[in-house]
Amino acid sequence: MDFEVTGSLMQSYNICKRQVWLMAHQIIPNQEHPYIEMGRLIDDISYDRDRKKLNFENVVIDLVRNDNGNLLVGEVKKSSKAEKSAKMQLLFYLYKLKQNGIVAKGQLFFPEERKKVDVYLTSESEAEVTNAIKDIIDIIHRDKAPSFKKIPYCKNCGYKEFCLS
Ligand code: SF4
């Protein structure tokens, strides 16, 4: 089976390796989970005026703006609690854009907190992304999902019923 590393997998990688495997193997999470619903709602109502989706390869970027002649790509998130994983997802997009000859700046948006965080692809963060890509590929090629380990994120995870049953 061929697997593609996506922004969603990169985001999950920093939360839970088991979630990476489950997503990559197309095990469908509980779509009714309130966290997912809330995420969708925020996705629908926030930053509508600027919204332009950018699709290329296996990458879909939420928000694209011209920022004084520079390309700005953004991700809208519910909360900054998982800022590190959101940042890795955005760095992955910046990395994919760079591979396609496009230099861009990133910005994370947390509308409920009225917070914005600038994200830049540096040589250090690029190395972090390429290492994570290698590790994700290694995880998803395993025969079995990494074993369940309870973490604080489980209570908000769409796979909660699956993992706890
Ligand atoms: S419920 Fe917990 S262990 Fe299971 S995929 Fe979600 S975060 Fe990972």
Side-chain angles (χ1 to χ4, degrees), residues 15-164:
I15 297 170
C16 171
K17 312 279 187 280
R18 180 173 167 85
Q19 192 185 78
V20 170
W21 192 95
L22 294 173
M23 282 174 72
H25 289 260
Q26 293 173 356
I27 294 166
I28 309 296
N30 179 2
Q31 297 294 320
E32 298 307 314
H33 195 279
Y35 185 87
I36 292 169
E37 285 300 311
M38 182 63 83
R40 260 194 223 132
L41 194 65
I42 287 175
D43 206 40
D44 284 346
I45 61 173
S46 309
Y47 302 102
D48 258 345
R49 270 174 309 142
D50 299 310
R51 177 161 297 253
K52 270 187 197 150
K53 291 243 180 207
L54 179 67
N55 280 273
F56 68 99
E57 295 179 7
N58 55 340
V59 171
V60 182
I61 295 174
D62 256 1
L63 193 79
V64 183
R65 278 184 196 162
N66 182 335
D67 183 42
N68 297 322
N70 298 311
L71 181 68
L72 176 84
V73 296
E75 271 291 311
V76 182
K77 297 293 177 194
K78 179 181 180 293
S79 134
S80 60
K81 273 190 209 149
E83 188 175 317
K84 167 74 183 162
S85 59
K87 190 174 170 197
M88 278 300 281
Q89 181 187 12
L90 195 46
L91 284 169
F92 173 72
Y93 293 152
L94 296 177
Y95 169 75
K96 296 291 277 184
L97 284 167
K98 188 180 168 194
Q99 282 197 315
N100 284 273
I102 300 165
V103 176
K105 171 186 159 184
Q107 208 163 50
L108 290 171
F109 297 87
F110 304 100
E112 285 191 353
E113 300 167 18
R114 298 184 182 279
K115 179 177 168 185
K116 291 179 192 175
V117 177
D118 288 336
V119 177
Y120 299 95
L121 189 70
T122 60
S123 51
E124 205 176 62
S125 56
E126 190 171 336
E128 213 182 333
V129 170
T130 53
N131 286 335
I133 290 171
K134 280 188 213 138
D135 206 22
I136 289 170
I137 290 170
D138 176 62
I139 291 165
I140 60 188
H141 277 96
R142 294 181 198 168
D143 291 339
K144 285 198 294 188
S147 48
F148 169 65
K149 252 191 240 145
K150 202 163 184 217
I151 55 172
Y153 185 83
C154 292
K155 63 178 185 298
N156 292 321
C157 177
Y159 289 111
K160 186 169 74 172
E161 275 84 28
F162 180 88
C163 285
L164 294 172

